[in-house]
Amino acid sequence: MNLRHRIARTALIAALLLSSVPAAAENVLLTLTGAVTDGRVELTRTDFDAMDWHEFATSTSVTDHQPEFRGVLMRDILSHAGAEGSQVRAAALNDYVVDIPIEDFYQFDVLAALYMDGVPLSRRDKGPVWIVYPRDDHGVLADIRYDMRWVWQLVALHVQ
C-alpha cells in the first residue's frame, strides 16, 4: 500500500469514527429534583434561552456598585419544571445550601441570573447561575435573611 492509499484510508477511518461519535451533550446549568416532573429536570443553556428573560439593576451585599442582572425568573423555572411544593433547597458548587420559600419567587421578581453588567457569570465569579433578588425595589429585601438566599454558583434546586 502506498502512502496515498494509507492517507486516504486513515482519513476514511477518522471520518467514520467522528461521524459515529454523538455530539457532546450540552452542559446542564441547573438540576431540579424532588417535586418536579418525573422527579428530575435538567436545564441547559438552550432551556434557559427558550424562556422569557428579564433584567434589573439592584444593589447587593457583595458588590460596590448597582450591577445590572439578566436572567430568567425563578418562578418561570419552577413552572417549566412542573414544580409543586412550598420551598426549595438551593445548593451551590461551593457546598452552600439554603432553604428558600417558593413564595419568594411569586412575591418578588427573583432572577436566576446568568449575566451581570452584560458579562456572562462564570464559575469563578458567582456563576453560571446566581439567585438575585430585586433588593432596591422592596425595602424588606435588604434584610439579612434575604441576603442568605442570594445563592451564587447555583447548581441544584430540590423542591419540597
Side-chain angles (χ1 to χ4, degrees):
M1 183 181 302
N2 67 27
L3 182 59
R4 177 182 257 171
H5 285 107
R6 284 185 193 169
I7 291 172
R9 187 173 138 209
T10 302
L12 177 62
I13 291 171
L16 289 172
L17 288 174
L18 290 174
S19 68
S20 66
V21 174
E26 188 175 4
N27 289 339
V28 173
L29 297 180
L30 183 62
T31 300
L32 291 93
T33 57
V36 295
T37 302
D38 297 328
R40 183 180 184 90
V41 174
E42 295 180 335
L43 298 178
T44 64
R45 177 55 193 251
T46 300
D47 297 315
F48 275 85
D49 287 341
M51 292 185 248
D52 290 335
W53 284 66
H54 299 266
E55 59 188 46
F56 58 76
T58 193
S59 62
T60 80
S61 62
V62 295
T63 58
D64 295 332
H65 66 298
Q66 188 183 45
E68 183 164 307
F69 294 96
R70 190 161 67 96
V72 174
L73 294 174
M74 288 294 292
R75 62 178 168 259
D76 289 349
I77 289 172
L78 294 175
S79 177
H80 175 85
E84 296 180 10
S86 60
Q87 73 176 18
V88 296
R89 176 160 289 165
L93 283 172
N94 61 5
D95 296 329
Y96 180 74
V97 175
V98 67
D99 290 332
I100 303 173
I102 286 179
E103 172 186 314
D104 280 12
F105 307 140
Y106 291 92
Q107 186 174 3
F108 309 108
D109 289 339
V110 180
L111 283 182
L114 279 77
Y115 289 86
M116 183 170 70
D117 293 332
V119 178
L121 294 167
S122 71
R123 289 179 184 231
R124 293 177 153 224
D125 189 26
K126 300 174 180 53
V129 182
W130 185 5
I131 294 177
V132 175
Y133 283 75
R135 178 185 229 200
D136 295 345
D137 293 344
H138 307 276
V140 68
L141 295 178
D143 187 285
I144 192 166
R145 76 188 136 124
Y146 289 101
D147 286 346
M148 304 295 286
R149 300 173 186 170
W150 287 57
V151 181
W152 58 65
Q153 294 183 326
L154 177 70
V155 291
L157 295 171
H158 183 75
V159 180
Q160 345 183 44

